Amino acid sequence: MPWARNSATAMRPRALRLDGHAVPGCVAIGNRPRCALRTLLPAACLLTTIGWAIAADTAPATDLPDLSVARARIYAGDFETAVAELGALTATVRHADLYNLLGFSLRKLKRFDEAARWYKEALFYDPTHRPALEYQGELFIETGDLEKARNNLKLLRLLCHPAGCEEVRKLEAALAAADPAGSRG
């Protein structure tokens, strides 16, 4: 459907179409697509229709300090110290990478509720943060929610299309180990 040219029809919602097909849950108002975020398909619609502009609606991140010491502690398996250092930074720094590392460390300590909170924060600041989506998917696997893990895998496949990425491969492997019959979801 061609874009409206006069102001009388420019603000009237109409079905959003991609490749000649209506996209369920999405409409266009003027030249701006709008999608309901109730299911994965509309979320995919949002990612494919407005691309990476989704980050414009999130809160701004602050500058990220050097996290190499915290990363070294994580790689060494010193998760308690990493949690203490990263947790102290959250008082002054707002950044998806910081929250993702904190969530990862807490998950490794089996503090799942706290880890879930920090993965949510990471994805609030950057909804396309692939490591956070992967690690949150692994958290879902560890807590027995394979369906949510599969949803994260679907989002990662959209973000990494067409070539794929390391996060997709890791989450696929984790799902295959947890549920060999249903991991391709």
Side-chain angles (χ1 to χ4, degrees):
M1 176 176 251
W3 293 106
R5 288 201 162 85
N6 65 40
S7 61
T9 60
M11 298 309 290
R12 187 171 3 135
R14 63 193 179 287
L16 182 66
R17 302 184 79 72
L18 285 175
D19 297 328
H21 301 285
V23 180
C26 297
V27 296
I29 301 174
N31 63 355
R32 297 193 57 173
R34 296 283 185 224
C35 300
L37 292 176
R38 292 189 182 155
T39 65
L40 185 59
L41 183 59
C45 164
L46 182 64
L47 286 174
T48 59
T49 58
I50 62 173
W52 305 116
I54 189 169
D57 294 333
T58 60
T62 56
D63 289 335
L64 186 64
D66 182 14
L67 297 176
S68 59
V69 172
R71 288 181 199 276
R73 294 193 195 290
I74 291 168
Y75 293 137
D78 187 5
F79 301 115
E80 287 287 350
T81 306
V83 165
E85 291 174 2
L86 295 168
L89 281 175
T90 63
T92 57
V93 176
R94 290 186 299 269
H95 200 283
D97 289 344
L98 169 65
Y99 298 149
N100 182 52
L101 289 175
L102 183 54
F104 177 86
S105 299
L106 289 163
R107 179 171 58 90
K108 291 297 185 179
L109 293 170
K110 307 289 186 210
R111 292 163 56 181
F112 297 133
D113 289 340
E114 294 172 84
R117 175 200 172 200
W118 291 109
Y119 289 138
K120 275 185 172 180
E121 287 290 322
L123 292 169
F124 172 77
Y125 281 94
D126 183 358
T128 63
H129 196 278
R130 294 184 332 225
L133 285 166
E134 177 208 337
Y135 291 154
Q136 185 186 50
E138 291 177 13
L139 172 70
F140 291 146
I141 292 168
E142 288 184 53
T143 57
D145 196 341
L146 298 182
E147 191 57 36
K148 284 186 179 178
R150 285 186 198 99
N151 286 341
N152 278 33
L153 181 58
K154 289 176 187 177
L155 286 172
L156 280 169
R157 285 180 178 152
L158 285 171
L159 292 171
C160 297
H161 182 73
C165 59
E166 180 181 358
E167 292 84 6
V168 167
R169 290 184 286 281
K170 286 181 176 180
L171 190 52
E172 281 176 340
L175 270 165
D179 182 23
S183 64
R184 300 305 292 176

